[in-house]
Amino acid sequence: MAPINASFGAAVLSLVFLASSTTAFNITRILGDFSDFSTLNSLLSQTKLSDEINRRQTITVLAVDNGAMGAISSLPSDVQRKVLAVHVVLDYYDTDKLRGIKNGSAMLTTMFQSTGQATNRMLRPCRMGFINYTRRADGVMMFGSAEPGASLTSQMVKSVASRPYNISVLQVSSAIVTPSIGSTDGSKAHAPENAHAKAPTPAPTPSMSKKPESAPAPAPSDDSSAEGPADAPGPAADSPDADGPVADSPDADGPAADSPNADGPAGTDAPAHDKTSDDTVATTGRVVARAGLGVMALVIMVVSL
C-alpha cells in the first residue's frame, strides 16, 4: 500500500503544480487592490481581455488610471478591446529591465499583434500591434505607438505590481491610442467601395463633321419645262424667261436648300444629276417653246386675213 500511496501523492502534487502554473496570476485581482485603476479593471473584464491576460505566462500591463481612461472609455466597445490590447506587452518588463535595454530604445510586441487584426493595407510597414519604448537622456521612460509618424506621448509613472518573470503592471501617464486602430476592419471599412469600379462610359456626343442626310431634291419635270411656255399668252413670248435657256436658271442647276448638295460636295452624300440629261431637257424645252410661238403666230395671221 505504501508504494501506491506514494505514487498517488506524487500525482496530486504534479496536478497542483500544473494548476498553479496555468493560473500564475489574475489581473482582475491584482488591479482590484488599487482603486485608481477601477475603470481599467472594469473594461478589461467587459471586453474579456482579462481572460486572455490570465492565460499568459509572461505579460506586462501598461495601466492607465481613472483620470486618463476617458481616451479609451469614450471609444466603441470593439475599438476599446483593440486599444486595451495595445497596452498589454507579450513579455515581462519591470523598471530594471527597461533601464537595461541596449541603446535605451526598443520596439515591443503587444497582445493586439497576436490577434491577427493588426493589419491595414494602407500602411507600409504596418506596426499597429507594436509600441515604441525610449529612455530619454534625463532617464524618463516614454511609450508610444510604433506606427510611422506617431509620437511618444505616454510616460511611465511607477511600477504598480510585479511577479518576476510572470507579470508586471506599470502605470503610464496617458493611453496609447494607435492612430489607425479605428480602421483595422481595415482598409475595407474605410476605403471607397467603388475605388476599383470602372467609371460609367459617357454617352457618345453627336458628330458635327457629318451633316444629317436628307432626301435629294426632285429633278425638274420634263412636262413642266415643256408646257410652261406653251400655255403663256402671246406677249409673254418676249419675256426673258421664255427665251432664256432653262438650264441657266439657278433653280435648274443649283442644289435645293434641303439637299445635301447645298452643304457638301457633290458625290459625297447624294448622287449628282447627269449634266447631259439636264442639257437634253433644256434643249427640248426650247424647241417646244419656239414651235408653240410659231403656231400662235400662224393662227394670228390667219385670223387677221
Side-chain angles (χ1 to χ4, degrees):
M1 295 296 295
I4 295 176
N5 291 335
S7 299
F8 179 76
V12 170
L13 290 175
S14 298
L15 291 174
V16 171
F17 175 77
L18 290 174
S20 62
S21 63
T22 54
T23 57
F25 51 82
N26 187 303
I27 187 61
T28 303
R29 292 177 182 175
I30 293 174
L31 292 178
D33 293 336
F34 304 93
S35 59
D36 289 344
F37 304 104
S38 59
T39 303
L40 172 63
N41 199 13
S42 176
L43 286 181
L44 288 177
S45 298
Q46 291 176 18
T47 59
K48 307 299 183 182
L49 201 61
S50 58
D51 297 335
E52 297 291 332
I53 294 173
N54 293 337
R55 281 195 285 266
R56 298 280 177 170
Q57 296 298 313
T58 303
I59 211 83
T60 299
V61 178
L62 302 180
V64 182
D65 65 13
N66 297 337
M69 278 295 295
I72 300 178
S73 59
S74 62
L75 298 172
S77 58
D78 59 328
V79 180
Q80 285 179 3
R81 178 181 172 87
K82 298 171 185 176
V83 174
L84 288 171
V86 174
H87 291 73
V88 181
V89 180
L90 298 182
D91 200 352
Y92 176 84
Y93 289 97
D94 55 18
T95 54
D96 292 336
K97 187 174 180 179
L98 288 174
R99 290 191 186 98
I101 291 179
K102 187 178 180 179
N103 299 325
S105 181
M107 184 181 296
L108 310 180
T109 306
T110 72
M111 183 174 284
F112 184 52
Q113 179 66 22
S114 67
T115 63
Q117 297 178 314
T119 57
N120 191 322
R121 291 177 296 176
M122 305 301 293
L123 297 176
R124 292 292 184 273
C126 181
R127 296 174 180 169
M128 297 171 60
F130 299 89
I131 59 174
N132 279 331
Y133 160 76
T134 297
R135 181 167 54 87
R136 298 188 321 203
D138 58 1
V140 176
M141 301 177 188
M142 302 295 297
F143 298 90
S145 170
E147 279 194 355
S151 303
L152 300 176
T153 57
S154 187
Q155 176 180 334
M156 195 185 80
V157 179
K158 64 182 180 180
S159 175
V160 177
S162 63
R163 293 183 185 177
Y165 300 90
N166 294 126
I167 184 170
S168 173
V169 179
L170 303 174
Q171 180 182 356
V172 292
S173 61
S174 60
I176 303 170
V177 180
T178 305
S180 63
I181 204 166
S183 62
T184 55
D185 290 330
S187 48
K188 289 182 182 179
H190 294 273
E193 294 181 0
N194 297 329
H196 301 288
K198 292 183 179 180
T201 305
T205 55
S207 176
M208 302 301 295
S209 60
K210 185 175 181 179
K211 303 294 182 181
E213 293 186 0
S214 58
S221 173
D222 293 343
D223 295 338
S224 60
S225 301
E227 294 176 2
D231 295 337
D238 297 331
S239 171
D241 294 335
D243 293 337
V246 177
D248 295 335
S249 172
D251 295 335
D253 294 334
D258 295 334
S259 172
N261 293 336
D263 296 325
T268 301
D269 296 327
H273 295 295
D274 189 355
K275 187 174 181 181
T276 303
S277 176
D278 290 341
D279 293 340
T280 303
V281 172
T283 303
T284 304
R286 286 196 299 270
V287 171
V288 173
R290 289 174 181 173
L293 291 175
V295 171
M296 291 183 66
L298 181 60
V299 170
I300 293 172
M301 289 179 62
V302 172
V303 172
S304 62
L305 293 176

